Amino acid sequence: MRSWRMLLALAAAVAQVGHPLETRGEDVRRWRDLNEGRIREIAAMLSAAPRGLGPPIADREVWATVATNRGLAGIVREAERVMAMPMPPWDDELYLDYSRTGRRRPGEQMIAARHRRLAPLVWAEAVEARGRFVEAIAATLREYVREPTWTLPAHDASLRSFRGDAYNVDLAAATTAFEVGQALWMLGERLDPVVRSEVTAAIERRVFEPFRTTLRTGRGLTWVHA
């Protein structure tokens, strides 16, 4: 748990500098000299356990109020539509198209079609709390875990992330990690513990581990933007 707290503190310290994290050249030195006192100060502000944004599904009093928001009027219908449709398949050839032709759209559209499913399912389940969408959420999360990488093809020209040799934490990978982590926070024990474990391991392997490596060594494929 302490490593999780310190990682967030390190990230906050990096953001305070206000520049992307460079992993090449002389700028690497600044990331090796992060102020330890500031890191401890930020770590002390963090909760003892991981948290997400907003209330978890178990807080039904809050969610009863949230459900009346007109902006969520169509979320259950959208989740029903998503649940009725099969998950768009992952296609290696579409991902590899960028490395062969330089075209971004084929691979990015394939990934976007898959990754836009999770949010409406999670929100609808949080609004209803009837268990209707839990199975579809678990299946979607497992599909994400099975993907070779969460990094966009244009940010994986070497295909090291695609091959699983060294994951590149671009904005897409970081966003995916946040969204699946938020799903774990919101749904809590309603998700199968095995699914939770698989998702947590994937976040650790694809985002936290390479991020820590870059912060500690100045080497790696991590992009951080404040």
Side-chain angles (χ1 to χ4, degrees), residues 164-180:
D165 297 335
Y167 288 107
N168 183 355
V169 187
D170 67 349
L171 184 58
T175 298
T176 300
F178 168 78
E179 289 184 348
V180 299

Side-chain angles (χ1 to χ4, degrees), residues 1-224:
M1 194 63 66
R2 181 176 180 275
S3 63
W4 175 84
R5 288 164 59 85
M6 292 304 290
L7 175 60
L8 285 185
L10 283 167
V14 168
Q16 189 181 39
V17 177
H19 297 283
L21 177 60
E22 300 291 345
T23 59
R24 297 180 294 276
E26 295 183 0
D27 287 342
V28 166
R29 288 197 301 272
R30 77 170 67 190
W31 310 109
R32 292 176 177 167
D33 297 329
L34 291 173
N35 187 296
E36 292 293 332
R38 179 58 175 161
I39 291 172
R40 287 192 293 271
E41 181 181 350
I42 296 172
M45 303 175 189
L46 303 175
S47 63
R51 291 182 57 88
L53 299 179
I57 192 173
D59 193 341
R60 297 316 303 160
E61 182 178 353
V62 173
W63 275 104
T65 301
V66 171
T68 64
N69 188 305
R70 284 189 292 180
L72 291 177
I75 196 65
V76 172
R77 290 193 300 274
E78 173 63 14
E80 290 171 339
R81 185 190 68 80
V82 167
M83 189 166 59
M85 300 173 62
M87 178 75 157
W90 175 274
D91 191 322
D92 283 352
E93 293 304 310
L94 291 178
Y95 188 92
L96 295 171
D97 188 74
Y98 177 83
S99 65
R100 296 165 178 162
T101 69
R103 295 181 299 190
R104 298 184 61 137
R105 277 180 72 84
E108 291 185 9
Q109 287 183 326
M110 180 268 294
I111 294 170
R114 292 170 59 83
H115 286 200
R116 67 170 62 104
R117 291 173 59 91
L118 182 63
L121 292 170
V122 173
W123 276 91
E125 181 58 33
V127 167
E128 280 195 356
R130 289 165 47 191
R132 281 207 298 156
F133 302 102
V134 171
E135 185 176 341
I137 292 168
T140 300
L141 289 171
R142 279 189 153 141
E143 282 284 338
Y144 287 10
V145 170
R146 293 188 189 104
E147 293 174 358
T149 180
W150 295 337
T151 306
L152 292 182
H155 301 156
D156 189 26
S158 68
L159 299 180
R160 295 177 69 191
S161 289
F162 176 77
R163 294 193 300 265
D165 297 335
Y167 288 107
N168 183 355
V169 187
D170 67 349
L171 184 58
T175 298
T176 300
F178 168 78
E179 289 184 348
V180 299
Q182 180 69 10
L184 298 186
W185 161 252
M186 290 175 66
L187 298 176
E189 295 181 359
R190 296 185 183 229
L191 274 178
D192 187 318
V194 175
V195 175
R196 295 182 63 87
S197 179
E198 291 174 355
V199 171
T200 301
I203 295 173
E204 172 67 25
R205 185 173 61 255
R206 298 174 185 221
V207 176
F208 285 169
E209 183 178 326
F211 186 38
R212 283 196 297 267
T213 297
T214 299
L215 286 173
R216 290 170 178 166
T217 69
R219 297 188 299 274
L221 297 169
T222 303
W223 302 358
V224 177

